[in-house]
Each structure stands twice: as C-alpha cells, then as structure tokens.
Amino acid sequence: MSVRRAALVAAALAALAVSCGTTPEPDRAAAGAGTTATATATPGAQETTAAGPTAEATTAPAVPDPSSPAPVEKVRDAFATLQATLDDSCATDCVYFLTRVHKELQELDMAMKADPKGPGHFPEPIARMAELNETLGGDSSFENLKKHEKELVGTRDFINTWMQDHPDDYR
C-alpha cells in the first residue's frame, strides 16, 4: 500500500510541476486578425514558434541579476542619507552608528565618482574619502571602525560642511 501511495504522491507532484511551469497562450483574437509572432534569434534565447514564445519567455517580469552591480545613487540622495546620521552617535548603538556612517560615506563616494559632472567636480570629498579608506585599510569591521571613529566621523563632518558650501553641486 505504501508503494501505491508513493506513486500517487509522485504523480500528483509531477502534475503540479507541469501545471506550474506553463502559462496559457495569449488570446489570438485580442492580438488582432492576421497577427503572427516573430522573434530574432539570440544566443541563449528561448525558441519561439509561429504560435508565440515559449512559456518561459512569457512569465513574470525579469528579476534583476544579483551579480550585476546595482545602480549608483544620485549624489543628492546619497548626501541626504549621510546627513541623516548627523544627529546619531555611539551613545545609543555604536555598532549600528559606525557601520552606517561608513556605508553612507562609501555610497556617497561612489555617487560622486559616477556623477555625470565627473569625479573632478567633487575633488575635496573624494580626496578625503581616499584618505579614510587608506586609514581603514579595507577593514570595515566594527573593531576597526571603532579604532578609527574620530577619522570616520571627521570625514563625515568635513564632507557635510563641504557639500553645504557647494549646494549647486548636489542639486
């Protein structure tokens, strides 16, 4: 009896897998009279037929590739999130605070370097970030951030002051 039950479960799972892996074909009448599907072959593309693309090509919207780099923030957005750290300190949650300041500084640095105006538009903040990154030596552990807290917070404050003195550079 258990072999029969296992076979039924396997058959049910197979049927479920097939039903979840297909999508209904689009209504040809809705596409208009005389419409046929065409496709250009590209390497790795799904095959298509005159009836339309395969089920995999018509499924939900594509999910971003996690291995591709995320789009870089605009300078104004990255600066705004850095400014949000100005009222924080190690008094409440030092790990969170130092990690966040470091993260926000790195994101602002990337945004400045990727800005359409060019990295030369933000020479002092980028130079200050290079100094901080050299001091940190690629180690963003809490212990290292705590050891260099003065430089980390000082860089944040310097960049905040510089940006406040250059409002046209980030708007």
Side-chain angles (χ1 to χ4, degrees), residues 83-89 97 156:
Q83 284 184 302
T85 68
L86 291 174
D87 291 330
D88 292 338
S89 70
F97 170 68
R156 179 203 61 186

Side-chain angles (χ1 to χ4, degrees), residues 5-6 10 16 20 33 44 53 68 79 92 102 104 108 110-112 120 126 141 146:
R5 179 174 286 167
L16 180 62
C20 290
S68 66
F79 179 51
T92 54
H102 180 258
E104 300 302 343
L108 180 58
M110 287 188 303
M112 289 178 178
I126 290 174
S141 67
K146 182 66 177 161

Side-chain angles (χ1 to χ4, degrees), residues 30-56:
T35 312
T36 59
T38 59
T40 304
T42 57
Q46 296 293 326
E47 287 186 24
T48 59
T49 64
T54 60
E56 290 177 35

Side-chain angles (χ1 to χ4, degrees), residues 69-79 81-82 101-120 122 125-127 129-130 133 159 163:
V72 177
E73 281 184 285
K74 291 184 178 185
V75 171
R76 67 169 185 208
D77 297 336
F79 179 51
T81 57
L82 178 67
V101 169
H102 180 258
K103 173 187 164 291
E104 300 302 343
L105 283 169
Q106 297 303 321
E107 289 176 358
L108 180 58
D109 187 46
M110 287 188 303
M112 289 178 178
K113 290 176 179 174
D115 190 79
K117 297 173 189 172
F122 305 97
I126 290 174
M129 279 301 303
N133 287 336
I159 291 175
M163 295 293 280

